[in-house]
Amino acid sequence: MSHGQACARCLYTERHPLGLTIDEEGICSGCRIHEEKDQLDWNGRWRRLEALVAPYRVPDGSVYDCIVPVSGANDSHFIVHLVKERLGLNPLLVSYNKYFNTPLGIRNLANLRIRFNCDLLLQNVNPASAKKITRATLRQFGSMYWHCLAGQTVFPVQTAVRYRIPLIIWGAHQGLEQVGMFSHEHEVEMTRRYRRDHDLMGHEADDLLSIFDTLAESDVWQYRYPDDDVLNSVGVRGIYLGNFVRWDPRRQHEQMIDTHGYQGARFDRTFDTYDHVDCWNFMGIHDHLKLVKHGYSKVTDHCCREIRHGRLTRDQALRLVAEHTRAEPPYVDLFCEWLGVDRRALQFIVDCHRNPEFWTETEPGRWAPRATMTAPGSERARPEDDPGFRATSTLEFDSGRRYVTVGKGYPL
Ligand SMILES: [Zn+2]
């Protein structure tokens, strides 16, 4: 098996790009750390969080207490709910414009600041630089999401420095949630190193300058992480709510749909209707590239999470992966138009990044997986496999004839 040993409980293997270990009982580190969710004293952990944020509270409300990075999806509503309504903090919301916004994502972002009565700072890096970077990183790293990941992880930190707001509050830590890189009790915080090694695939803004002669200082400076002495002078730290709250994205999104007007939508490549509804590409070409490079796609992440929460059996998950992994990436034409490449050129670049450990070229331009890490490829999901995620809207959300106060204006 080219994927290495698989976990006996979830669908991850030793080849997970974040790195995981499998113990003598055949259970992966991600599943082991997940067990903490049912063992820890979460009331006690919430009190630890309250004590942690207390010194950052500004009593007279004259300035912001903290920064909360948000988007039009991905637990943002739940994070702001915890920060504003349960911790009683006054956050400044910050969001990086990915340019791949769906109308539903823009709607959810507007709903977020209106329903929670929050100020929102939106970072729009000029689209010419975002495209130049995307062309370069797509060709070289097989990543069309570098500018999004770099922007959304650095803009909150830059804002913390500029506004002198030391506390940044994130949702869950992906390394903890997926592969059990840390225990909840380590209370791990944001670091420059995790961002570079995992979020940015080892390439920071300055690395792009040395790799690509097509990029200039004016293209990358917005993505540069502040220096340590600058961070230390403000006392910037980033904490993760997932260390203090029993993190369960499905339940959290459903709560926010019921109480705060969050909306989800259906995708072809996964059953999760809540996570990535703000982006045309995350579950499209970006997810396809993940499959090409790593041999699995986002539906596997969703399945592993649902298995661990006890809502899917391994067999159901295997059929869901088989079903969704075969779906063609949607909205590719939209991406080609934005980037200014034709579909064949894009296909060529994608195929250059086929990982030969997972793919074999059966005839010129045709690729087959070497081994399915999942179920026999012919197996289809059954009606009883449907985990029952709700789609309350569509990505093409139409707000009718109303003012749209935050949006991209027109396509760039
Ligand atoms: Zn596992």
Side-chain angles (χ1 to χ4, degrees):
M1 285 286 285
S2 59
H3 285 273
Q5 189 185 349
C7 174
R9 187 177 297 165
C10 74
L11 305 185
Y12 286 142
T13 74
E14 292 171 314
R15 302 296 314 279
H16 193 296
L18 292 177
L20 58 67
T21 55
I22 293 181
D23 67 18
E24 60 282 359
E25 291 176 56
I27 305 298
C28 80
S29 43
C31 286
R32 286 299 183 211
I33 291 297
H34 183 94
E35 291 171 2
E36 294 181 355
K37 288 184 197 274
D38 296 321
Q39 295 162 351
L40 292 172
D41 166 18
W42 290 107
N43 289 328
R45 299 204 64 69
W46 178 262
R47 288 193 296 276
R48 286 183 66 81
L49 174 65
E50 287 180 322
L52 193 160
V53 304
Y56 296 95
R57 211 179 284 277
V58 180
D60 67 357
S62 59
V63 288
Y64 303 107
D65 299 322
C66 61
I67 285 172
V68 176
V70 297
S71 70
N74 261 36
D75 293 311
S76 292
H77 277 61
F78 188 71
I79 294 165
V80 177
H81 161 66
L82 292 182
V83 170
K84 176 117 188 185
E85 298 181 334
R86 289 201 51 209
L87 289 171
L89 295 170
N90 175 28
L92 172 61
L93 311 186
V94 299
S95 190
Y96 172 80
N97 185 355
K98 295 192 282 281
Y99 287 110
F100 309 140
N101 309 309
T102 62
L104 181 60
I106 293 295
R107 180 266 172 208
N108 280 339
L109 194 60
N111 185 69
L112 183 66
R113 67 194 169 79
I114 293 165
R115 291 295 282 261
F116 291 98
N117 196 21
C118 285
D119 296 348
L120 170 72
L121 200 58
L122 194 60
Q123 167 84 321
N124 294 293
V125 168
N126 77 83
S129 289
K131 287 182 200 194
K132 278 168 76 177
I133 289 173
T134 303
R135 279 191 208 101
T137 56
L138 176 65
R139 198 174 296 272
Q140 185 79 15
F141 313 140
S143 168
M144 48 75 61
Y145 229 66
W146 188 94
H147 92 84
C148 306
L149 294 166
Q152 67 203 23
T153 51
V154 83
F155 179 50
V157 183
Q158 293 167 343
T159 305
V161 170
R162 283 181 197 138
Y163 282 66
R164 302 191 72 78
I165 307 169
L167 182 64
I168 303 173
I169 303 183
W170 300 89
H173 191 290
Q174 197 179 35
L176 183 158
E177 294 290 326
Q178 288 195 3
V179 300
M181 198 178 280
F182 313 99
S183 161
H184 297 86
E185 292 183 296
H186 291 154
E187 298 180 10
V188 68
E189 300 195 1
M190 168 188 84
T191 64
R192 173 198 308 275
R193 182 172 173 179
Y194 185 92
R195 172 179 183 265
R196 182 195 66 211
D197 291 353
H198 300 297
D199 294 332
L200 305 185
M201 299 147 281
H203 305 290
E204 286 215 62
D206 285 302
D207 301 322
L208 298 195
L209 275 185
S210 56
I211 297 170
F212 303 109
D213 56 12
T214 52
L215 298 177
E217 172 68 17
S218 57
D219 295 316
V220 305
W221 71 274
Q222 297 271 32
Y223 300 96
R224 190 171 283 138
Y225 207 80
D227 290 335
D228 282 339
D229 54 348
V230 174
L231 295 175
N232 292 338
S233 74
V234 180
V236 175
R237 67 191 288 199
I239 64 168
Y240 294 90
L241 292 172
N243 292 326
F244 305 99
V245 174
R246 187 185 183 280
W247 208 253
D248 182 347
R250 175 177 183 169
R251 288 287 171 260
Q252 293 162 191
H253 278 123
E254 289 175 346
Q255 182 186 341
M256 290 299 103
I257 287 170
D258 291 339
T259 61
H260 288 76
Y262 183 69
Q263 299 223 358
R266 203 158 293 293
F267 293 99
D268 289 339
R269 293 172 62 82
T270 187
F271 53 86
D272 188 308
T273 53
Y274 310 140
D275 260 357
H276 301 289
V277 298
D278 62 330
C279 184
W280 290 112
N281 292 328
F282 191 91
M283 287 306 307
I285 182 71
H286 173 68
D287 192 52
H288 181 58
L289 281 161
K290 177 180 167 101
L291 183 66
V292 161
K293 290 186 292 184
H294 300 299
Y296 73 100
S297 61
K298 194 69 199 170
V299 67
T300 298
D301 294 328
H302 287 149
C303 278
C304 291
R305 191 191 68 202
E306 293 305 299
I307 289 171
R308 291 169 180 174
H309 280 287
R311 295 187 290 250
L312 275 182
T313 66
R314 208 165 182 283
D315 284 348
Q316 286 176 311
L318 287 168
R319 289 193 292 271
L320 286 165
V321 168
E323 173 87 24
H324 288 288
T325 302
R326 81 181 80 213
E328 286 293 314
Y331 315 117
V332 172
D333 289 340
L334 211 54
F335 176 65
C336 288
E337 190 185 330
W338 181 83
L339 198 61
V341 298
D342 68 37
R343 253 191 110 111
R344 285 180 58 191
L346 179 68
Q347 189 60 51
F348 176 79
I349 296 167
V350 168
D351 286 338
C352 286
H353 293 279
R354 293 266 174 194
N355 186 332
E357 292 179 57
F358 304 129
W359 299 95
T360 180
E361 193 168 19
T362 52
E363 54 184 283
R366 288 201 169 273
W367 299 82
R370 281 191 190 276
T372 54
M373 66 183 286
T374 56
S378 60
E379 191 151 19
R380 311 297 299 220
R382 302 168 189 173
E384 62 268 30
D385 299 332
D386 180 5
F389 281 68
R390 291 183 273 158
T392 54
S393 184
T394 64
L395 298 183
E396 299 90 346
F397 178 84
D398 181 4
S399 57
R401 189 177 296 177
R402 294 182 195 161
Y403 292 122
V404 177
T405 48
V406 175
K408 59 181 175 177
Y410 52 90
L412 284 168

